[in-house]
Amino acid sequence: MTEPLNIGRNRAQESTNAIERMYITMRHLFIRGFYKPMGVSGETLREALLTLRPEIYGTIAESKVELSGLQYIIERLPEGIEECSFINLTSDEGYSNSHFKAIIPPKRRRNCYRIDEEQMNIEITRGRSEIYDILTHLTFMFIESHKIMQNVVINEAGQTSRDWEKLTAAVLKDGELNQKEKEIAITHTANILGRTFAEINQVYDRFATPNNPHKFLYLIHSLGKLAIREVIHGEKRAITFSPIVRERLGHHIHGEVWANNIKKTLHEHGLLNRKLHIISANMHSVMNTLFSPIALKDLLKEKSNFQVYEKLSSAQNEDLRQTVIKKAKEEGMIVLDDTSGTNIDVQIFDLAKLSHYKGDSSLQGKEDAPVIIVMDYAFGEQAYETMDELLKPFKEGENLVYTNVDSISIMGKAGILEGGKGDLMIPDAHLFEGTADNYPFHNELKKSDFENQGLRVYDGSMVTVLGTSLQNRDLLKFFHDSTWNVIGLEMEGAHYQKAIQAAAKLRGNISPEVKLRYAYYASDNPLETGSTLASGGLGTAGVKPTYLITEKILEQIFSNAVRNQNA
C-alpha cells in the first residue's frame, strides 16, 4: 500500500530538485554573461526541464513536437525570435529613442527589438522572474527545434528528408498558398512533427497573425533551419546578458522611479496624508465597479451588474468603456501610465470626489476621505521591488513623510489544485517554492464572504512559484495532498508579503496594524489534463470572480471609512 506514495514522493522530490537546479543554473548563467542553450553550458538547464516535464510543455520529453506549449510560448516571446541565432537580454538602454521599432509580445508587456536578421534584443525591466520566464520558454523552444531537426536530417552529411524539402518549398513560394497547397504542406509538416493532419489543422489558425496566416509553417521551418545549421554546420545559437542588465538587476532602479512618481503625484494633489488603500489588480475592475453605476445608469436598468461588467470586458464595446473612463476622470480618477519601465500602470481614486457608491454619498467632499491606489499586476519577484519602494516614506526636501497605508489588497489569477477555472482561493499563508520560507498572515477576506455566489471557494495556503511554466503534476499533487494544505499556486504572493512584513513589522514604514486582503480566482488547473494555461484563457468566465473579489474589497474599504466618519 505504501509503494504508490513512495513513487509519488520520489517524483515530487525529483521535480523539486529539478526546479532548484534550474533556479541555480539560470542565476549562474546570468552572472557568467552568456551561454549556448544547446551546447555544454545549457545542458543542465535542458536536463532539468526534461526531468521536470512541466504540464504546460506537454510532450517535451517525447519525440513528437508539442503544439499547445509552442503556442503558449510564442504568444509570450517577440515576433520573429524563432529566426534569430543570437538573443540578447538587456536593460532599458535607449533603444526606444532609436530607429528600432519595439516588438511587444501579445501576452507579455515587454519591449523587444530586432537588431538585424540574426539578433533579437529583449528588455528586462521586471526583475529576475522575467529572466526565468524567458530562459525557460527559450529552452523549451530550442528543445523542440532539435526534435524537428532530428526528424528531417537523414545522414551525417546533413541531407534532409523529402518532407522537409516540401515544407521549405511551401515557405519560400512566391504569392499566397491556396487551400490545396496549404493542406499538402500541413501533410508534410505533420510527418516532421510526429503529429496527425487533424492535430495540425486544429492548431494552425491559432498561430496565424494578421500579416501571416501561415505563421505555423514559417515557425516550424525557422526552428528546424536554425537547429540544422547548429548541428550540421556548427553555427551555435547563443543567449547573452548585457553588462548593463547584469549591473542593474536587483537595485530597484525601475521600482524606485515608479513608486516615487506615485508618491509625488499624491503629494501634488494633497493626498499623501490621507488613508491609503493599495490594491494590486487589473486596470478595469475597480474603475468599472466604482463608476459604471454612475456612468451607465440606463443600461443597468435593463441588465444586471455582472452583465454590464461582461459587456465592459469585451473589446467590441469600446464606446461603453470610454463612457466609464470619462465619468471616472470627472470624479477624480488620476491615471499614471507607466514610464519607469516596470510596465505597471496606476490609477488613483480620491473618494472625496466620488459622488456616491451604491447610493452612499457620505464620503463626498470629506477632507479625510480615503484614497485608493490601484496598481497593475507585478511579475514574480518584481512584486517585492515595487511594494517595497511604494511603502517607503516620501522624501520632501530633508524631511521624510510617512504614508498612512490602511490596507493592502492583492487580487489576481492563480492555478488551482482542486476545482476548476473561475473558482476562488482565499489564502491564509504563502509558501515560497524551493525553500522553507513561509508567510502566514491574517486575511480580512474570508471564505464565507464568497459562498452562495455560484462559485466554489477554497481556503488554505498558496505556493509562490518561480514561474507558472515550471509546474508539474507530481509536485503539485504532493503539495495538495500533504499537510501544507496548498490550494493553489501563483507568482507574487510571498514577494508582496515579504515587503509588507518588512515595512510593517521591522522598518516602521507603515502601521503594523495594516489590513491585508488576498484573493485569487483560478485561471487554470495544472492537475487537470486540458485545463492548464496552454489550453487557453478564461474568457468571460473570469468576469464574475474578478468582480466578486473587487466588490468585496471595496465593500470593506467603504464600510471601514464610513464607520470612521461616524465615530
Side-chain angles (χ1 to χ4, degrees):
M1 291 296 290
T2 58
E3 189 176 355
L5 178 64
N6 289 334
I7 291 171
R9 182 173 291 176
N10 288 339
R11 286 178 182 155
Q13 288 169 338
E14 280 179 11
S15 301
T16 300
N17 290 337
I19 288 173
E20 288 174 358
R21 285 202 309 279
M22 290 191 73
Y23 181 55
I24 293 166
T25 301
M26 285 190 281
R27 294 191 75 147
H28 164 73
L29 295 173
F30 173 75
I31 293 166
R32 183 185 185 212
F34 74 97
Y35 76 105
K36 294 175 181 174
M38 298 308 292
V40 175
S41 51
E43 188 175 3
T44 304
L45 209 50
R46 297 195 310 272
E47 287 180 352
L49 198 61
L50 289 167
T51 300
L52 188 61
R53 298 191 298 277
E55 296 303 308
I56 211 162
Y57 294 152
T59 58
I60 185 174
E62 299 175 28
S63 60
K64 58 185 178 182
V65 172
E66 166 60 28
L67 301 178
S68 294
L70 203 54
Q71 182 198 347
Y72 181 83
I73 66 148
I74 287 302
E75 290 176 335
R76 287 154 178 81
L77 293 171
E79 176 79 22
I81 196 166
E82 69 278 359
E83 302 169 359
C84 297
S85 298
F86 301 97
I87 297 163
N88 188 23
L89 275 55
T90 73
S91 183
D92 179 358
E93 298 177 20
Y95 290 104
S96 59
N97 298 320
S98 69
H99 77 280
F100 297 114
K101 186 179 178 182
I103 305 169
I104 301 172
K107 298 289 180 75
R108 282 281 187 269
R109 288 196 299 167
R110 54 172 68 110
N111 291 331
C112 310
Y113 300 93
R114 184 75 177 262
I115 304 304
D116 53 36
E117 287 186 4
E118 296 182 312
Q119 182 175 334
M120 181 73 75
N121 281 14
I122 303 175
E123 277 189 3
I124 304 296
T125 58
R126 306 180 78 171
R128 289 191 182 91
S129 293
E130 191 167 21
I131 291 177
Y132 306 150
D133 185 60
I134 291 167
L135 293 189
T136 308
H137 291 337
L138 289 176
T139 302
F140 166 74
M141 187 178 80
F142 291 138
I143 288 171
E144 297 302 298
S145 76
H146 272 238
K147 288 184 193 175
I148 296 168
M149 178 273 302
Q150 287 162 355
N151 289 340
V152 301
V153 174
I154 55 179
N155 59 34
E156 291 182 2
Q159 189 178 351
T160 51
S161 67
R162 178 174 177 271
D163 288 317
W164 182 253
E165 302 305 324
K166 293 295 183 180
L167 173 59
T168 302
V171 166
L172 297 179
K173 178 183 180 291
D174 290 330
E176 188 66 33
L177 291 176
N178 61 36
Q179 185 65 20
K180 180 182 176 182
E181 290 168 332
K182 171 189 165 184
E183 291 184 353
I184 290 171
I186 289 175
T187 301
H188 292 295
T189 305
N191 288 339
I192 292 168
L193 303 185
R195 294 286 184 173
T196 66
F197 178 88
E199 285 175 317
I200 305 294
N201 233 358
Q202 189 177 8
V203 302
Y204 195 87
D205 290 338
R206 295 188 210 159
F207 287 82
T209 65
N211 298 326
N212 188 358
H214 305 294
K215 171 69 189 285
F216 182 79
L217 298 179
Y218 286 84
L219 173 68
I220 299 303
H221 186 261
S222 295
L223 289 174
K225 183 170 71 172
L226 290 190
I228 291 168
R229 277 190 197 167
E230 180 155 343
V231 172
I232 303 302
H233 304 293
E235 297 177 19
K236 300 285 188 185
R237 287 167 287 186
I239 295 174
T240 56
F241 305 89
S242 79
I244 305 299
V245 76
R246 291 161 66 201
E247 177 188 320
R248 287 180 178 175
L249 197 72
H251 291 180
H252 290 202
I253 289 170
H254 301 287
E256 184 179 12
V257 172
W258 173 83
N260 284 343
N261 192 28
I262 296 169
K263 286 177 274 196
K264 184 180 175 184
T265 303
L266 291 170
H267 179 64
E268 288 170 353
H269 288 80
L271 303 176
L272 200 57
N273 294 317
R274 299 261 204 98
K275 278 193 173 179
L276 303 179
H277 297 271
I278 299 168
I279 303 176
S280 170
N282 52 61
M283 287 287 100
H284 54 78
S285 58
V286 173
M287 178 181 67
N288 289 344
T289 305
L290 288 174
F291 297 103
S292 61
I294 304 169
L296 305 174
K297 285 181 286 190
D298 293 339
L299 188 60
L300 281 160
K301 290 174 184 175
E302 306 166 11
K303 300 184 179 294
S304 70
N305 284 1
F306 287 111
Q307 287 173 324
V308 171
Y309 296 147
E310 275 197 20
K311 277 187 163 294
L312 287 167
S313 298
S314 170
Q316 297 173 343
N317 296 315
E318 185 60 28
D319 55 335
L320 285 182
R321 293 184 186 187
Q322 290 304 320
T323 302
V324 175
I325 291 170
K326 183 182 176 185
K327 178 55 70 175
K329 288 181 176 177
E330 286 173 6
E331 299 211 357
M333 179 177 77
I334 302 166
V335 177
L336 297 178
D337 292 326
D338 181 62
T339 56
S340 69
T342 60
N343 283 317
I344 299 177
D345 296 334
V346 171
Q347 296 163 334
I348 298 172
F349 301 96
D350 178 1
L351 299 188
K353 294 182 179 179
L354 180 67
S355 56
H356 67 86
Y357 178 65
K358 296 188 175 180
D360 187 341
S361 58
S362 59
L363 296 179
Q364 187 180 17
K366 302 293 184 183
E367 291 182 357
D368 58 347
V371 173
I372 295 175
I373 301 169
V374 179
M375 57 181 283
D376 207 348
Y377 298 120
F379 189 75
E381 289 186 21
Q382 187 192 32
Y384 175 78
E385 175 180 337
T386 49
M387 189 61 73
D388 182 57
E389 292 296 332
L390 186 56
L391 299 181
K392 286 179 180 177
F394 176 66
K395 196 166 186 181
E396 186 183 4
E398 295 300 314
N399 300 321
L400 291 179
V401 180
Y402 288 84
T403 53
N404 186 7
V405 178
D406 192 59
S407 75
I408 300 171
S409 304
I410 311 296
M411 176 184 86
K413 293 184 290 188
I416 197 167
L417 301 188
E418 187 178 339
K421 290 187 177 185
D423 289 339
L424 299 177
M425 291 158 276
I426 312 299
D428 54 21
H430 285 101
L431 316 172
F432 191 28
E433 181 183 49
T435 73
D437 298 353
N438 55 86
Y439 302 89
F441 57 89
H442 174 74
N443 196 343
E444 297 291 321
L445 298 174
K446 299 286 179 284
K447 182 180 179 180
S448 57
D449 292 332
F450 300 96
E451 289 177 333
N452 304 316
Q453 298 287 345
L455 296 171
R456 288 171 291 188
V457 191
Y458 302 88
D459 57 3
S461 304
M462 297 286 286
V463 174
T464 298
V465 299
L466 289 173
T468 52
S469 55
L470 291 180
Q471 304 319 305
N472 81 341
R473 190 182 303 270
D474 301 308
L475 184 57
L476 295 177
K477 197 168 187 320
F478 171 76
F479 271 132
H480 180 254
D481 296 345
S482 71
T483 53
W484 287 107
N485 188 31
V486 170
I487 54 173
L489 58 136
E490 48 73 62
M491 281 185 66
E492 291 79 32
H495 303 300
Y496 275 131
Q497 194 56 28
K498 182 165 60 173
I500 293 165
Q501 284 186 191
K505 309 287 187 185
L506 297 175
R507 305 172 78 175
N509 289 339
I510 61 172
S511 167
E513 304 304 316
V514 64
K515 301 176 189 70
L516 302 180
R517 303 181 189 92
Y518 285 86
Y520 301 94
Y521 58 95
S523 58
D524 64 299
N525 185 333
L527 290 179
E528 197 174 288
T529 302
S531 292
T532 67
L533 282 171
S535 67
L538 272 167
T540 55
V543 173
K544 186 173 183 179
T546 298
Y547 283 93
L548 274 176
I549 295 169
T550 304
E551 288 198 339
K552 185 55 65 174
I553 290 170
L554 290 176
E555 182 185 308
Q556 292 194 3
I557 290 172
F558 273 88
S559 62
N560 288 337
V562 171
R563 195 182 307 122
N564 291 335
Q565 289 281 335
N566 297 332

